[in-house]
């Protein structure tokens, strides 16, 4: 599977959205987790598992369904 190269505008949009997501996750992280690297890593991992990965999974499952419609498996 090949990926199309992103335009500079798309790359900027990803950065802008990622910055917004980062700000939301930071505001919703217990301040005690921000005091050291271990706590920060745990907080990031928890946010990724609970908030970010499920949304990425939705994207991937939609892509898989679209591929199966175009190329049904025998």
């Amino acid at each position: 599977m090949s990926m199309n190269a992103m335009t500079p505008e798309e790359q900027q949009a990803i950065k802008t959205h990622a910055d917004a997501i980062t700000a939301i996750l930071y505001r919703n992280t217990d301040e005690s987790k921000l005091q050291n690297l271990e706590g920060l890593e745990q907080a990031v991992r928890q946010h990724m598992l609970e908030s970010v990965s499920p949304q990425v999974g939705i994207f991937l499952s939609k892509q898989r369904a679209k591929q199966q419609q175009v190329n049904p498996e025998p």
Side-chain angles (χ1 to χ4, degrees):
M1 172 193 310
S2 67
M3 292 193 315
N4 295 329
M6 280 188 237
T7 65
E9 293 81 11
E10 290 170 325
Q11 291 174 345
Q12 182 58 47
I14 287 176
K15 182 185 180 322
T16 299
H17 293 294
D19 289 346
I21 291 166
T22 300
I24 292 167
L25 297 179
Y26 182 82
R27 283 193 309 269
N28 289 279
T29 299
D30 184 334
E31 199 169 308
S32 68
K33 294 284 188 183
L34 303 172
Q35 303 304 313
N36 58 54
L37 184 58
E38 180 182 4
L40 185 58
E41 288 177 350
Q42 290 172 350
V44 168
R45 186 177 304 115
Q46 182 176 356
H47 284 307
M48 291 296 293
L49 290 171
E50 293 177 2
S51 303
V52 179
S53 293
Q55 293 303 312
V56 173
I58 290 169
F59 162 78
L60 294 174
S61 65
K62 286 180 181 178
Q63 292 300 315
R64 177 73 174 148
K66 189 187 306 183
Q67 287 176 345
Q68 287 177 338
Q69 288 176 348
V70 172
N71 301 314
E73 295 179 15

